[in-house]
Amino acid sequence: MPSAREIAYGITRRVNGEGAYLSLLLRYGMDPASVDARERALVTELAYGVQRHRGRMDFIIAAFSRRDLEDLDPAVLDMLRLGIYQLTETRVPQHAAVNETVSLTRRLLGRGAASYVNAVMRNACRGMEGLPWPSRDDLPAFLETRYSHPRWLVEYMLRLLGPQQAEALCDADNAIPPLSLRVNTPRGSADELLEEIVDRGGSAGLSACLGEALSDVKIPYGELLALLEAGRCVVQDESSMLVAYALDPHPGQLLIDACAAPGGKATHLAVLGGERCRVIAVDASESRLAALRNSVARLGLSNMDVRLGDSRRLAETVAEEADGVLVDAPCSGLGTLRRNPELKWRRGPGDLEELARLQSDLLRGAAARVRRGGSLVYSACTFTTQETTDVSGRFLGECGEFRLAGQLQLWPHLHHVDGMFIARFDRT
């Protein structure tokens, strides 16, 4: 049976080496029957901690390694990140952090790698107090190492927000976000689910803004799985819940979610609109649609129609014109770094323009299916101007039949939710 540290290392390797998504590996990559709650908590802390503080760990490793980071075997570098994280950011005693990491390295990577890891970690133990960190006088370098954000992103934030807001956002990105649940209201109210969570040994609070939301949920993992499997709720941030409200679903309407998988917003539309509201959920990925179909079945929704299609040409998939179309567009995800910290190491400045072009193509394709008097909602879980206001402005310039009804940007450091941009365009 692998230890928690070995599981965390395997997850780290898959995230950094294969581009896997951390949250999905943690949710679906551990068998609840073979990993108990204490081990799961340690795996989660280590795997998330390494991604949140990777830049800081790399700064330390570079200071105590006789080889450049670029020359290190990626498998060894990830092992060092895991070891240095335990050494500097957890309550694990120094000797235990070193011994456990070296032992794991010897078993998985061999004696030569273990010898190197041992040398770097022992150098770090002896020299950490004298390590020369960047000062605030060089703010980009300070933010880069203090908050573990890549330099390009730090400089982007500084230009966009200024020093104080940029630092607050960096800090918020590294915070552990609270768990929010969207209650499946056809199967019970928020008050009823809150009472059941307490009965199952947990706690939560009613949302101050949304009647179907529970915030700051704390519940044993197995009990949470049971509630999710029973279709009582879904895991969803409150900023994501607001997107469905922007489309204002009503009975009798036809709505389209043009980028629907994995289905959080599409199923929310179906619930808010009621049984007499029909929702067509379209996505280009068959595997992601399979997950969406499972969600629809689990939540017991009978007013959803799931279709495979490329929404850049939405008219090829849906013949009818709709009262409302949602484009929750693929984006950099930089507004969700609290939950997906690996994205800050995966994205680069070149991605922003490429994703913005895709978002514009999706908006043009979706607009063709909005009836006169209907609405088009565009959302993206990010804050870069290329992916938000630039796309919105370009769409309005190209599609004169639409007018801007409103748009807003939510921020982790200001609103304590995921960073989310939402714009609504009404067709005249």
Side-chain angles (χ1 to χ4, degrees):
M1 188 76 66
S3 67
R5 287 178 174 81
E6 184 172 347
I7 296 172
Y9 174 72
I11 289 173
T12 300
R13 286 299 304 135
R14 288 198 61 190
V15 170
N16 291 345
E18 302 172 17
Y21 286 95
L22 176 56
S23 61
L24 294 180
L25 290 179
L26 288 171
R27 185 177 298 180
Y28 302 113
M30 289 186 282
D31 180 2
S34 59
V35 182
D36 64 28
R38 186 166 168 270
E39 289 176 319
R40 176 177 289 277
L42 180 56
V43 171
T44 301
E45 180 190 355
L46 295 178
Y48 264 107
V50 166
Q51 296 301 331
R52 286 194 176 107
H53 302 284
R54 193 175 114 176
R56 192 174 173 83
M57 300 303 103
D58 285 0
F59 182 85
I60 296 171
I61 294 166
F64 297 107
S65 170
R66 65 176 183 272
R67 300 180 202 162
D68 293 339
L69 263 56
E70 294 76 16
D71 296 332
L72 286 176
D73 180 342
V76 174
L77 178 57
D78 277 341
M79 188 67 82
L80 279 168
R81 287 166 173 157
L82 193 67
I84 295 293
Y85 176 76
Q86 293 173 70
L87 203 62
T88 59
E89 303 291 333
T90 72
R91 295 182 179 180
V92 175
Q94 278 194 355
H95 69 275
V98 174
N99 292 341
E100 293 284 350
T101 304
V102 172
S103 174
L104 186 61
T105 309
R106 185 180 299 112
R107 189 153 54 82
L108 298 182
L109 304 177
R111 286 187 172 277
S115 175
Y116 195 79
V117 166
N118 182 55
V120 174
M121 291 196 68
R122 293 194 183 282
N123 287 342
C125 289
R126 289 190 292 268
M128 276 297 296
E129 288 189 7
L131 191 60
W133 295 95
S135 76
R136 279 186 177 275
D137 294 338
D138 183 352
L139 191 57
F142 174 79
L143 297 180
E144 180 184 16
T145 52
R146 173 68 180 82
Y147 298 103
S148 287
H149 279 54
R151 177 64 72 97
W152 77 268
L153 183 56
V154 165
E155 292 176 344
Y156 188 98
M157 290 174 168
L158 286 169
R159 288 194 302 273
L160 183 67
L161 301 172
Q164 290 185 342
Q165 294 275 331
E167 181 168 0
L169 178 55
C170 286
D171 192 21
D173 284 344
N174 286 343
I176 298 173
L179 175 65
S180 297
L181 297 178
R182 194 192 86 222
V183 181
N184 187 24
T185 49
R187 291 186 175 170
S189 68
D191 286 310
E192 290 169 338
L193 186 63
L194 174 57
E195 186 175 338
E196 185 165 347
I197 286 173
V198 173
D199 289 343
R200 288 172 178 263
S203 64
L206 295 171
S207 166
C209 303
L210 300 171
E212 70 275 51
L214 293 179
S215 58
D216 200 19
V217 178
K218 297 180 176 64
I219 183 171
Y221 184 72
E223 301 295 337
L224 173 62
L225 283 183
L227 292 174
L228 296 174
E229 288 300 322
R232 298 291 307 282
C233 56
V234 298
V235 174
Q236 192 172 27
D237 189 78
E238 288 184 71
S239 64
S240 291
M241 297 184 211
L242 287 174
V243 173
Y245 281 98
L247 211 50
D248 192 23
H250 281 82
Q253 288 186 325
L254 171 63
L255 304 177
I256 301 170
D257 187 340
C259 305
K265 298 178 182 69
T267 55
H268 197 196
L269 288 172
V271 171
L272 290 178
E275 292 183 353
R276 291 179 48 242
C277 173
R278 181 179 166 221
V279 176
I280 299 176
V282 180
D283 201 273
S285 166
E286 182 56 53
S287 61
R288 285 165 58 86
L289 283 179
L292 195 159
R293 291 189 182 95
N294 287 336
S295 295
V296 171
R298 198 166 51 246
L299 296 172
L301 298 171
S302 59
N303 58 341
M304 290 193 65
D305 177 0
V306 179
R307 300 183 187 180
L308 178 66
D310 185 341
S311 290
R312 289 174 293 183
R313 301 179 298 280
L314 187 59
E316 295 177 3
T317 307
V318 182
E320 309 101 303
E321 287 191 339
D323 299 284
V325 179
L326 169 63
V327 176
D328 182 48
C331 69
S332 62
L334 294 175
T336 68
L337 295 184
R338 302 183 307 166
R339 304 182 192 281
N340 306 294
E342 73 273 23
L343 292 181
K344 61 187 173 184
W345 311 116
R346 198 168 290 172
R347 301 300 186 207
D351 295 329
L352 306 184
E353 292 294 346
E354 183 178 339
L355 287 162
R357 281 193 292 275
L358 173 59
Q359 292 162 14
S360 292
D361 291 345
L362 287 165
L363 278 180
R364 280 191 291 271
R369 293 294 82 190
V370 179
R371 68 163 177 79
R372 289 195 177 279
S375 298
L376 174 63
V377 168
Y378 161 54
S379 63
C381 51
T382 188
F383 53 80
T384 70
T385 55
Q386 292 93 329
E387 300 174 273
T388 56
T389 51
D390 286 0
V391 172
S392 173
R394 190 179 306 122
F395 174 74
L396 289 169
E398 293 174 351
C399 299
E401 293 179 319
F402 287 83
R403 68 173 183 83
L404 180 65
Q407 64 185 24
L408 80 160
Q409 176 71 61
L410 297 167
W411 296 94
H413 65 294
L414 296 177
H415 307 107
H416 311 294
V417 294
D418 288 347
M420 178 72 73
F421 176 81
I422 307 171
R424 171 173 162 158
F425 313 105
D426 292 339
R427 186 177 179 188
T428 56

